Amino acid sequence: MFAVTATRFDADDPLKGLTLGERPEPEVPGGWTTVTVRATALNHHDLWSLKGVGLSEDRLPMILGCDAAGVDEDGNEVIVHSVIGDPDRGGGDETLDPRRSLLSETYPGTFAERVAVPRRNLVPKPAELSFAEAACLPTAWLTAYRMLFDKAGLQPGSTVLVQGAGGGVATALIALGSAAGYRVWATSRSEAKRERALELGADAVFESGARLPERVDAVMETVGQATWSHSLKSLRPGGRIVVSGATSGQVPPAELNRVFFLQLSVVGSTMGTRDQLERLGRFLVKSGVRPRIDRTLPLAGARDGFAAMHEGDLFGKIVFTP
């Protein structure tokens, strides 16, 4: 079957390790099944894998990809939950299982014509969502859903700042937050991306690092080092940063004096549970919100999608169709 694979690591030029071509059909352990992939979406996780982050060299070659929507062996339209973990070991939450992984870390990923997954990881695809829309949900949109509705501790009417308005998680945060009744502000270095953020439902947009009209209740942080200081300074006393990524670097100055003096909270968030993915799908059906898709490419053109993400030339999700 045709697949997109990581064959070596290069921290400076990750696309050097990207290989497109034939791979063996997936192995199916007991309790697992196969899904014929109809659409799959690109994430920063895939780019980091090519840099050797979260993927060890002894697992190469590895089929990349976390997200997929497709058809199971019984002909059902499904969304693939990409967290491979045991809820019992995580106190009912598979993301807290110490041994949990994502597809494409330990097990082959979704950038292929077929993928093997545990049966419990299949979620019914709402008929109202296209395969391309559904494929955007398991990583970026599920991450945003958990950040906003589980970790942030907000009520409708609260003010939320979303740092870096162009990426998949950030665009999901803007759309979901607006639909849920939050006042959503967003930042970006790009004027075009700020304008698109307004189209998604942001109430106000600002240049990266700009002084805000007032302090916010919570900051949704996926950028990391480049925006961390601004995120801390933007919070009201008692406010909260929810962080799910650090695309610009993972070691910013902590500014602990600001954290303790203003009694700020810093909360980590990773992915979401299978149940949250199912609720996310229902939320989109009920609200009418849909993922913003930047472009759709054939899987054979995946290199162009990776290049666009590497250069930051996107707004929303990049979807591949086998």
Side-chain angles (χ1 to χ4, degrees):
M1 65 175 183
F2 187 85
V4 176
T5 307
T7 51
R8 66 186 178 100
F9 302 139
D10 191 314
D12 298 320
D13 188 359
L15 271 66
K16 284 185 177 179
L18 193 65
T19 300
L20 282 65
E22 293 297 313
R23 294 294 302 161
E25 290 286 334
E27 297 181 5
V28 187
W32 288 47
T33 186
T34 57
V35 172
T36 299
V37 177
R38 294 288 181 84
T40 180
L42 180 65
N43 293 286
H44 272 100
H45 180 275
D46 305 305
L47 203 57
W48 285 108
S49 294
L50 289 169
K51 296 179 180 182
V53 178
L55 180 62
S56 58
E57 195 163 6
D58 63 323
R59 293 190 178 122
L60 297 180
M62 173 62 76
I63 297 175
L64 297 172
C66 301
D67 296 349
V71 178
D72 69 11
E73 292 176 340
D74 298 320
N76 302 305
E77 296 184 353
V78 296
I79 305 173
V80 174
H81 179 44
S82 62
V83 179
I84 311 299
D86 184 347
D88 291 338
R89 287 200 296 257
D93 182 340
E94 61 267 32
T95 70
L96 298 178
D97 175 2
R99 299 179 183 176
R100 68 110 172 98
S101 66
L102 301 181
L103 286 172
S104 76
E105 291 179 347
T106 303
Y107 304 100
T110 58
F111 290 172
E113 294 175 283
R114 282 165 294 283
V115 61
V117 295
R119 291 185 183 278
R120 76 166 302 274
N121 283 54
L122 299 184
V123 172
K125 182 185 79 65
E128 294 87 347
L129 301 181
S130 70
F131 282 108
E133 291 166 342
C136 298
L137 303 188
T139 298
W141 277 69
L142 181 59
T143 296
Y145 181 92
R146 185 179 178 101
M147 292 173 75
L148 282 172
F149 304 137
D150 185 359
K151 300 291 187 177
L154 299 172
Q155 297 179 0
S158 300
T159 303
V160 181
L161 177 66
V162 178
Q163 295 281 24
V169 175
T171 55
L173 286 164
I174 294 167
L176 291 173
S178 177
Y182 299 149
R183 182 168 66 158
V184 181
W185 293 353
T187 68
S188 177
R189 293 173 296 177
S190 163
E191 182 178 357
K193 290 181 180 179
R194 293 196 297 271
E195 291 176 357
R196 292 173 186 168
L198 291 172
E199 295 172 3
L200 282 178
D203 295 279
V205 292
F206 306 91
E207 291 187 22
S208 297
R211 185 180 181 87
L212 304 180
E214 61 186 74
R215 291 183 176 178
V216 303
D217 298 298
V219 179
M220 303 294 109
E221 176 64 80
T222 62
V223 180
Q225 195 163 318
T227 56
W228 188 255
S229 181
H230 183 253
S231 293
L232 289 172
K233 292 172 183 175
S234 298
L235 282 173
R236 63 164 176 79
R240 179 176 296 188
I241 294 178
V242 183
V243 56
S244 69
T247 56
S248 69
Q250 61 182 345
V251 285
E255 298 189 41
L256 293 179
N257 57 330
R258 184 179 296 275
V259 173
F260 72 73
F261 186 73
L262 295 177
Q263 301 182 71
L264 306 179
S265 299
V266 177
V267 178
S269 188
T270 296
M271 300 291 289
T273 66
R274 181 197 183 281
D275 291 342
Q276 287 174 329
L277 178 58
E278 194 163 6
R279 290 199 295 273
L280 169 60
R282 291 199 298 265
F283 184 87
L284 296 194
V285 171
K286 181 72 173 178
S287 66
V289 172
R290 296 293 184 270
R292 175 67 179 257
I293 296 175
D294 179 88
R295 70 195 75 179
T296 300
L297 299 168
L299 195 59
R303 185 174 297 275
D304 292 337
F306 273 85
M309 177 168 281
H310 186 46
E311 295 162 8
D313 179 26
L314 77 166
F315 188 87
K317 297 295 294 177
I318 294 175
V319 172
F320 301 137
T321 54

